[in-house]
């Protein structure tokens, strides 16, 4: 927090953050389930869990700290297990929207891998329709509030992002069938085919039902699974006017981010933590690594390729990040790169959007102007499911409300 804008002792920072309108552009559905819901669904459907208490799950599965990204990703085995019916998908999506609105998050983009929930009884169409049904139910309920109806407060909105996986095993009946059917294909080829099928399905289902499926994402461990192997899928999405976001620079270097932008047409980058780490460039063709990083940063800044920053998640999955104040988020802001604070996984990381803002304000030099920009980027760089004119109107509504909340506070610009 900027020393010149340090609030007085009477200023309640947590309440202030909760009130301002916020976004979450990087949030995984299966990593953001209420623990009570996981336990309740598991018990009703005889799904085995390491523990059937909130405290037990927090100790054994959803930890405060993880050894690495791979251990972090293992938690999804348990959360995905309770999301194998349309009813459960709808329920969890509905609850997630309500949880966000309860802390002032006005716009969310919920991402998940539909193929992890598919089976002979549940098609990709069933999965996406169910998630949208839950989110839309919450939206209608939230937006019926008098303050929103009168225009005093901005409404709640959402988009859906489908995630392709860099690699996979028999994680679901769908993936198991694909692997079995392609026994003579390389695992990388199978993963690429899975991504392409996802892109085709997402476009078709979006157009058939007019669903707010706003983007395709690429998730999973970066090491050994380069983004370019999924180029056909992202080209298909690109050709059909679907936005693109890619997990890159989370556990790998600048080259991974460059590949996401060039080979996959990424409009946004998930995490981007190692954007500035020249030592992680392994490409032998890159002679001047420092210049490579500078050129990449300038390109990202100039083209407004937003970085979806997830502070808590990065602390949990990067053993080397022991002091949050050293996070590259600070340098990203200094370079005027478009950044947006996100949770990644509310349950797995035990965080909220409000928590992420509070961490940022307590560990970094964020002036009132920078805070406003940070909030604004989230709305402006969203993949809002409407016309450009509708988006501009909504963004302005949210900014006006932000200015109303900050008036008279230490963060009034």
């Amino acid at each position: 927090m900027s020393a010149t804008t340090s609030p007085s002792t009477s200023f309640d920072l947590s309440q202030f953050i909760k009130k301002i309108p916020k976004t979450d552009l990087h949030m995984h559905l299966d990593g953001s389930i209420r623990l009570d819901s996981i336990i309740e669904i598991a018990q009703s459907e005889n799904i085995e869990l390491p523990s059937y208490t909130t405290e037990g799950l927090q100790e054994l599965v959803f930890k405060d700290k993880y050894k690495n990204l791979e251990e972090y990703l293992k938690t999804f085995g348990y959360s995905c297990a309770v999301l194998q019916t349309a009813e459960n998908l709808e329920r969890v999506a509905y609850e997630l929207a309500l949880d966000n609105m309860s802390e002032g998050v006005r716009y969310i983009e919920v991402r998940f891998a539909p193929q992890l929930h598919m089976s002979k009884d549940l098609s990709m169409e069933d999965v996406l329709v169910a998630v949208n049904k839950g989110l839309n139910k919450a939206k209608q309920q939230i937006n019926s509030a008098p303050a929103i109806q009168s225009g005093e407060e901005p409404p709640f909105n959402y988009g859906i992002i489908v995630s392709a996986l860099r690699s996979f095993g028999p994680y679901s009946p769908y993936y198991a069938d694909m692997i079995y059917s392609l026994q003579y294909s390389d695992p990388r080829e199978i993963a690429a085919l899975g991504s392409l099928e996802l892109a085709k399905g997402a476009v078709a289902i979006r157009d058939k039902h007019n669903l707010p499926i706003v983007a395709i994402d690429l998730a999973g461990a970066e090491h050994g699974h380069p983004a370019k192997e999924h180029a056909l899928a992202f080209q298909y999405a690109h050709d059909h006017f679907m936005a693109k976001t890619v997990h890159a620079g989370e556990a790998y270097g600048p080259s991974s981010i460059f590949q996401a932008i060039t080979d996959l047409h990424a409009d946004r980058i998930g995490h981007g933590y190692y954007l500035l780490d020249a030592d992680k460039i392994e490409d032998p063709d890159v002679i001047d690594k420092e210049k490579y990083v500078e050129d990449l940063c300038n390109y990202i800044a100039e083209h407004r390729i937003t970085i979806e920053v997830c502070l808590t998640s990065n602390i949990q999955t990067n053993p080397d990040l022991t002091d949050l104040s050293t996070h590259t988020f600070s340098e990203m802001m200094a370079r005027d790169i478009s950044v947006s604070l996100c949770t990644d996984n509310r349950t797995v990381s035990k965080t909220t959007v409000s928590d992420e803002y509070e961490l940022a304000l307590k560990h970094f030099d964020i002036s009132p102007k920078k805070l406003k920009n940070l909030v604004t980027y989230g709305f402006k760089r969203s993949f809002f499911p409407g016309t450009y004119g509708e988006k501009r109107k909504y963004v302005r509504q949210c900014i006006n409300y932000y200015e109303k909340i900050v008036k008279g506070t230490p963060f009034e610009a």
Side-chain angles (χ1 to χ4, degrees), residues 183-250:
Q183 295 181 32
Y184 299 102
S185 295
D186 183 273
R188 291 184 173 185
E189 295 175 328
I190 298 174
L193 286 172
S195 297
L196 180 58
E197 185 67 12
L198 174 65
K200 289 180 177 180
V203 168
I205 296 163
R206 174 197 68 180
D207 296 345
K208 177 181 177 181
H209 295 278
N210 193 30
L211 295 186
I213 302 173
V214 296
I216 186 171
D217 165 45
L218 183 64
E222 293 170 82
H223 186 68
H225 307 290
K228 64 182 178 182
E229 294 179 351
H230 301 264
L232 286 178
F234 278 73
Q235 185 62 49
Y236 187 90
H238 189 67
D239 291 343
H240 290 82
F241 303 103
M242 184 172 283
K244 289 79 52 187
T245 180
V246 177
H247 284 70
E250 181 179 13

Side-chain angles (χ1 to χ4, degrees), residues 244 257 260-262 265-269 275 296-297 299-308 337-339 381:
K244 289 79 52 187
I257 297 172
I261 295 169
T262 55
H265 310 287
D267 302 294
R268 297 199 316 240
I269 295 294
L275 170 64
L296 179 59
C297 285
Y299 184 91
I300 287 173
E302 183 176 351
H303 290 80
R304 312 315 290 158
I305 298 172
T306 296
I307 308 293
E308 304 156 354
I337 289 174
S338 173
V339 291
R381 295 300 294 154

Side-chain angles (χ1 to χ4, degrees), residues 279-347:
D279 292 335
K280 279 192 171 291
I281 299 175
E282 299 179 357
D283 187 346
D285 294 328
V286 177
I287 306 302
D288 190 338
K289 296 182 179 181
E290 295 295 338
K291 184 177 185 303
Y292 181 96
V293 169
E294 286 298 318
D295 290 344
L296 179 59
C297 285
N298 286 330
Y299 184 91
I300 287 173
E302 183 176 351
H303 290 80
R304 312 315 290 158
I305 298 172
T306 296
I307 308 293
E308 304 156 354
V309 175
C310 308
L311 298 174
T312 299
S313 175
N314 291 157
I315 293 172
Q316 292 175 322
T317 61
N318 288 286
D320 296 334
L321 181 58
T322 56
D323 181 358
L324 186 59
S325 63
T326 64
H327 193 288
T328 48
F329 171 65
S330 179
E331 185 64 22
M332 290 176 188
M333 287 193 299
R335 291 170 177 265
D336 292 324
I337 289 174
S338 173
V339 291
S340 180
L341 288 175
C342 311
T343 59
D344 197 11
N345 300 284
R346 293 170 66 93
T347 302

Side-chain angles (χ1 to χ4, degrees), residues 52 55 77 120 149 153 184 254 256 268 291 342 351 379:
Y52 293 90
E55 296 75 18
K120 292 178 181 178
Q149 288 287 307
E153 295 185 14
Y184 299 102
S256 178
R268 297 199 316 240
K291 184 177 185 303
C342 311
T351 191
F379 289 103

